[in-house]
Amino acid sequence: MASNDPGFTMMPAAEDPTKGAEGLTTSSEDDQPVAPDQFDPKYETERWEIWAYYAYYIGNNGLTLFNFAPTAFQNLLYQAAGDSGTLVFAGRLRTINSIVLLANGISFAIQVVLFLIIGSYADFGRSRPNILIFWSIFAFAIGFGWMGVYTPNKWEVATGMYIVGLIAYQTTLTFWTAAFPGLARNTPELRAKAEQYTAGTISRDEYDYADTMQRSRLSNMAFYIQSLGEIVILALIVGVLYGVNVDASVAANNYGLSVLIAFATGVWVLLAIPWFIIEKRRPGQSLPPGMNIVMAGFWQLYRAITHIWRLKQSLIYLIGQLLSSSYPDKIERLTRKITGYFLLGDSLNTTVTVIGTLQNTIVSYNTLTLTYLLIVGIAAQALGIYAFWFIQRRYSLSTKTMFNAVMVGIILLDGWGMIGIWTQRFGFHHVWEVWVYQTFYGLFVCPWYSYSQIMISEVTPRGKEFLFFSLFSIIGKTSSFIGPLVSSAIIDDTITAANPTGNNSTPFYFLFGLSLASFLGLFWFVDLKKSREEQAKFLEEEGILKEKAEAESERQAWTLPRGGGQEGLGAPEVRGEKLA
């Protein structure tokens, strides 16, 4: 979702996106350089605020609704299905893995609708913290609710909790993530760079690089510290599991899964409170004249959809497919290029789900083994994210270069699984492979979760963070239910009388092609320097449109006949329409 200026103190972008020199590098009067970001000491990012931001993510680490809740759900499905390995779900007989993938697709489809409703108006006022608090409390309730769901006869209830739990988890994660560009751009370090740029001692490229590195530092350190904190939580969970003696019986293992979900939820509650209290409520956009919050949300969404073609680099990264027939003079050779966040996010989300279902089967849903696997994976994740950040800083590499390296890791992961379609010797069929997978995934794939967000911030115009993070989240959720639904159908098509459970590795050939196509498109067609130029032009043109609209509104106001004031003062709605 997006932060419209969670961290800048300027006039609301909905009314004047160019105030505070947004997108401009010089003033009109004396060509004095003006920093792209304007600072107010009242909203300067403080150390305790950053640590509260990190703490929230340590709590919202995914152990509750993203890791162990899916395991508990699949475990109950497995026991309810019995030897047949199938259950009736959504009107037909399906395999366990097919049900999991379909539930994922349903959850992501609901998220699309939800994000359209709340994401489009989150730019306005100071409501984002309240939205995060509300959905966090909702997620807490789901996490504690698993204490009552641990028997096979409640698999339908588990299905519903799994679906809504993913919705709550993804919503909280999105609104938390949307805060980091504002935090980074209000730091004392970037304020000092802005002063140097204004004084003429550094160039715009040097300022932009400092901005990039500040955002990279905050995002990567958040993921690194979260990984270290999660290892401590997992170590405590091991003690809890021994306390409830999960190895005593199947029923004890079932109960242990629910206990650890509730325990991790309790940790999340404690670590979330500081961020709820300390976060500075930086101003967003004010409502456009003549609009309420609902109208403004749809107006914001309409503008995003109709104007994003002016930001070609953002569009390439966002949607992944451009049609030359729409804007042949603008897009030129960027026709039908399969690229982007849409495809790669879809591929990775589905890949992780497919491997997770295979892993659970391989280790027979043993809670302790799964916890140990997570400890290995999270330790590798901490090392991988820190290594990526260290290499980027040491060799002054761009965000795009680091992102390309992560994409190679995703392709290798899908290739690994694809081999397993044709052989049982390799391709996520053995216990040793899941240990290697956790290590590889942590080291080379998990940096995606940091660098994909940094890439979003790279292609987002200043002051439009909520708008663009919303759009990326909507597109991401749209893609994320397509992959699971396609993969579920692929598995279902392999079911035969001789093989009633199907071949659960078959989605990998689809995922491998999707990842490879995404990599080639992003590698060749996304140019972050061009993106910055497009963003500056976008904001400048928006400012010109606004000035013309205001001038027209004032002209109409002066020419109104007596008694016609109310009709004339309705012009702000026309002004908003012209801006759209």
Side-chain angles (χ1 to χ4, degrees):
M1 226 152 265
S3 113
N4 167 51
D5 195 49
F8 309 126
T9 54
M10 59 181 194
M11 292 299 291
E15 292 198 54
D16 194 347
T18 61
K19 278 231 174 130
E22 289 291 344
L24 304 177
T25 57
T26 60
S27 68
S28 59
E29 296 182 358
D30 55 5
D31 291 333
Q32 175 73 27
V34 177
D37 304 310
Q38 303 299 296
F39 298 86
D40 184 332
K42 181 170 60 174
Y43 298 113
E44 184 167 285
T45 303
E46 297 176 348
R47 184 170 182 174
W48 282 112
E49 187 180 16
I50 290 176
W51 277 101
Y53 181 75
Y54 293 160
Y56 182 90
Y57 192 40
I58 295 173
N60 189 12
N61 49 53
L63 290 176
T64 53
L65 305 179
F66 188 72
N67 290 119
F68 284 114
T71 300
F73 165 51
Q74 189 181 348
N75 180 43
L76 295 182
L77 290 179
Y78 175 80
Q79 293 174 30
D83 294 336
S84 69
T86 58
L87 289 167
V88 176
F89 180 73
R92 60 170 292 184
L93 197 66
R94 302 177 187 275
T95 68
I96 295 169
N97 288 359
S98 176
I99 293 173
V100 172
L101 288 167
L102 188 57
N104 261 29
I106 294 170
S107 176
F108 288 131
I110 294 172
Q111 288 176 51
V112 171
V113 177
L114 182 65
F115 277 41
L116 282 171
I117 294 172
I118 65 174
S120 56
Y121 66 74
D123 269 333
F124 300 100
R126 303 167 188 258
S127 63
R128 181 184 54 77
N130 295 333
I131 297 173
L132 178 62
I133 292 171
F134 170 82
W135 282 101
S136 295
I137 293 172
F138 185 79
F140 301 157
I142 297 296
F144 289 127
W146 275 98
M147 283 297 296
V149 182
Y150 52 85
T151 55
N153 65 312
K154 292 184 178 179
W155 71 268
E156 293 99 336
V157 178
T159 303
M161 293 186 65
Y162 172 70
I163 291 172
V164 297
L166 280 182
I167 293 170
Y169 169 73
Q170 294 291 349
T171 304
T172 57
L173 190 61
T174 298
F175 275 99
W176 170 84
T177 302
F180 91 89
L183 287 175
R185 287 171 173 162
N186 271 280
T187 55
E189 293 86 352
L190 206 60
R191 183 193 64 206
K193 289 294 181 182
E195 292 170 352
Q196 292 174 25
Y197 176 68
T198 302
T201 57
I202 63 172
S203 66
R204 175 59 189 264
D205 284 344
E206 289 174 310
Y207 181 87
D208 288 337
Y209 177 73
D211 175 34
T212 293
M213 295 305 288
Q214 194 67 18
R215 282 181 283 111
S216 292
R217 180 186 71 86
L218 190 63
S219 180
N220 283 312
M221 290 306 296
F223 279 81
Y224 172 67
I225 292 171
Q226 180 268 339
S227 301
L228 297 179
E230 189 172 351
I231 292 173
V232 175
I233 295 171
L234 284 167
L236 294 173
I237 282 175
V238 170
V240 172
L241 294 177
Y242 273 111
V244 297
N245 196 15
V246 294
D247 287 334
S249 65
V250 172
N253 186 69
N254 293 353
Y255 183 68
L257 278 169
S258 293
V259 168
L260 71 84
I261 294 170
F263 174 80
T265 300
V267 174
W268 184 4
V269 172
L270 293 176
L271 293 175
I273 292 173
W275 178 241
F276 294 160
I277 297 172
I278 297 175
E279 181 188 9
K280 295 183 177 180
R281 295 184 173 240
R282 297 176 175 88
Q285 300 178 20
S286 59
L287 291 175
M291 293 188 185
N292 58 33
I293 189 69
V294 176
M295 292 172 59
F298 285 107
W299 173 75
Q300 175 97 312
L301 182 63
Y302 172 76
R303 291 185 60 214
I305 294 172
T306 57
H307 282 69
I308 194 171
W309 65 268
R310 292 156 60 189
L311 299 165
K312 290 184 286 187
Q313 300 302 314
S314 304
L315 188 61
I316 295 170
Y317 184 63
L318 171 63
I319 299 178
Q321 184 169 347
L322 304 178
L323 300 178
S324 59
S325 59
S326 298
Y327 300 100
D329 58 324
K330 299 288 183 182
I331 298 177
E332 300 172 349
R333 296 185 180 182
L334 298 179
T335 58
R336 300 185 183 276
K337 300 299 181 183
I338 306 300
T339 65
Y341 181 81
F342 182 95
L343 296 179
L344 196 60
D346 186 19
S347 175
L348 180 57
N349 287 335
T350 309
T351 296
V352 171
T353 301
V354 172
I355 296 175
T357 58
L358 294 172
Q359 173 183 271
N360 290 338
T361 303
I362 290 170
V363 302
S364 302
Y365 305 95
N366 184 275
T367 308
L368 274 173
T369 301
L370 290 169
T371 303
Y372 292 141
L373 282 167
L374 267 178
I375 291 175
V376 171
I378 299 302
Q381 173 181 292
L383 182 60
I385 289 174
Y386 189 83
F388 267 67
W389 166 233
F390 176 82
I391 292 170
Q392 181 184 15
R393 184 177 51 181
R394 174 70 175 79
Y395 297 102
S396 300
L397 301 176
S398 68
T399 300
K400 173 75 179 299
T401 299
M402 307 308 296
F403 189 72
N404 288 340
V406 176
M407 288 193 291
V408 172
I410 296 172
I411 293 171
L412 292 175
L413 194 61
D414 286 322
W416 179 356
M418 188 168 64
I419 295 172
I421 298 174
W422 303 288
T423 178
Q424 293 294 311
R425 295 181 179 179
F426 187 75
F428 303 115
H429 297 301
H430 305 283
V431 173
W432 67 266
E433 285 187 280
V434 298
W435 291 98
V436 176
Y437 157 69
Q438 288 291 346
T439 304
F440 179 88
Y441 178 71
L443 288 173
F444 301 109
V445 179
C446 281
W448 151 271
Y449 298 104
S450 177
Y451 280 99
S452 64
Q453 302 305 314
I454 300 170
M455 282 288 288
I456 293 174
S457 69
E458 290 278 9
V459 299
T460 297
R462 282 175 167 82
K464 305 292 182 182
E465 283 80 13
F466 262 143
L467 172 63
F468 276 75
F469 271 81
S470 280
L471 200 53
F472 273 91
S473 292
I474 291 167
I475 293 298
K477 298 303 171 276
T478 302
S479 71
S480 294
F481 75 79
I482 294 174
L485 292 178
V486 171
S487 297
S488 174
I490 291 172
I491 293 174
D492 288 341
D493 284 343
T494 65
I495 297 176
T496 64
N499 184 19
T501 60
N503 186 341
N504 292 319
S505 295
T506 49
F508 282 113
Y509 74 80
F510 160 70
L511 298 171
F512 179 82
L514 203 60
S515 296
L516 183 61
S518 302
F519 170 76
L520 293 175
L522 287 168
F523 182 83
W524 288 110
F525 296 106
V526 172
D527 186 324
L528 296 183
K529 185 174 179 61
K530 286 184 180 179
S531 178
R532 284 191 288 271
E533 294 170 356
E534 291 170 357
Q535 292 168 41
K537 185 177 180 180
F538 175 86
L539 292 171
E540 185 177 1
E541 290 175 353
E542 191 173 71
I544 293 171
L545 285 173
K546 174 193 172 294
E547 291 175 0
K548 289 181 179 179
E550 287 182 341
E552 177 65 18
S553 178
E554 291 177 2
R555 186 189 66 79
Q556 292 178 4
W558 278 105
T559 57
L560 282 174
R562 290 184 181 272
Q566 291 303 315
E567 289 78 4
L569 290 176
E573 293 184 315
V574 176
R575 181 165 68 233
E577 189 173 316
K578 287 186 177 181
L579 274 175

